Amino acid sequence: MGNVKSLLKLIPQIELIVFEDEADYINGSKTPCKIEMIEKNLHKLDEGSKQFYKLFKSFYENNKISPNKLVKDGDIIDVGEKLRVIATPGHTMGHMSLYIDKYKLLIAGDLFMKEDNKITTCPKVLNYNQEIYLNSLKKIKDFPIERVICYHGGDFLGFPLVK
């Protein structure tokens, strides 16, 4: 979400396609779940954490944007290649991944991370709901994945998952 406004300024013809459960958080009509979680515990935070919260909240407030198109689990996005939408909530409640059958490629977003040239799961502390996140991992286990692109860490060829 953080780079979308900048990308649209550089390439305004990009169509912003968003998973339907995430749209209200991106356009600002709902407060992001992680902000709500912090706000419930704001009275318990030290000053440094409160400053981080202010930056985090400001980030969301300054990056609201309305999507051009909404998608749901199982939809196909045709951009020359066919991208299969896979609902993979847990990191956020509207997180999605995309799968391209032809290349056995999973565009994982924040479902996985690449660290030290290994694929790892997203740390529990970064997930909105760990149980739902773990169910999302189970959901993709039967896909024949040979390559993964992660938001954190980039491209990974081969798919031995390291926990």
Side-chain angles (χ1 to χ4, degrees):
M1 178 179 162
N3 296 320
V4 173
K5 275 189 160 181
S6 298
L7 284 171
L8 288 171
K9 284 181 184 176
L10 291 171
I11 314 167
Q13 66 272 22
I14 290 176
E15 182 178 31
L16 179 57
I17 301 171
V18 174
F19 191 74
E20 62 185 356
D21 292 352
E22 199 78 357
D24 288 340
Y25 300 106
I26 291 172
N27 70 24
S29 59
K30 282 187 177 178
T31 301
C33 302
K34 292 179 183 183
I35 296 291
E36 282 184 346
M37 287 172 51
I38 295 170
E39 287 175 343
K40 287 178 186 175
N41 295 297
L42 203 54
H43 64 284
K44 298 178 185 176
L45 300 180
D46 61 42
E47 277 309 306
S49 297
K50 286 179 182 177
Q51 291 302 317
F52 174 77
Y53 157 75
K54 287 178 185 176
L55 289 171
F56 197 49
K57 186 170 182 174
S58 174
F59 164 80
Y60 280 102
E61 289 172 352
N62 292 317
N63 285 289
K64 296 175 189 174
I65 193 159
S66 294
N68 301 101
K69 180 179 179 181
L70 302 180
V71 293
K72 60 186 181 311
D73 192 37
D75 282 356
I76 300 295
I77 302 168
D78 192 344
V79 291
E81 297 293 342
K82 295 190 184 326
L83 310 172
R84 185 183 325 177
V85 175
I86 306 168
T88 51
H91 179 71
T92 63
M93 291 314 293
H95 188 277
M96 73 175 184
S97 299
L98 301 169
Y99 183 75
I100 304 174
D101 291 282
K102 178 179 175 181
Y103 300 110
K104 297 180 179 164
L105 169 67
L106 180 71
I107 302 170
D110 287 321
L111 188 63
F112 296 111
M113 299 174 75
K114 179 183 170 187
E115 294 178 346
D116 300 322
N117 207 35
K118 295 177 185 167
I119 291 290
T120 65
T121 55
C122 192
K124 181 179 181 177
V125 69
L126 298 179
N127 293 327
Y128 174 69
N129 185 304
Q130 185 68 5
E131 183 178 343
I132 293 171
Y133 172 80
L134 294 173
N135 285 332
S136 290
L137 293 177
K138 291 176 190 171
K139 184 176 184 177
I140 64 140
K141 72 177 178 61
D142 293 328
F143 283 85
I145 300 167
E146 293 181 1
R147 187 173 181 182
V148 177
I149 298 175
C150 305
Y151 180 72
H152 298 281
D155 192 12
F156 185 82
L157 187 57
F159 190 62
L161 179 63
V162 176
K163 293 185 181 187

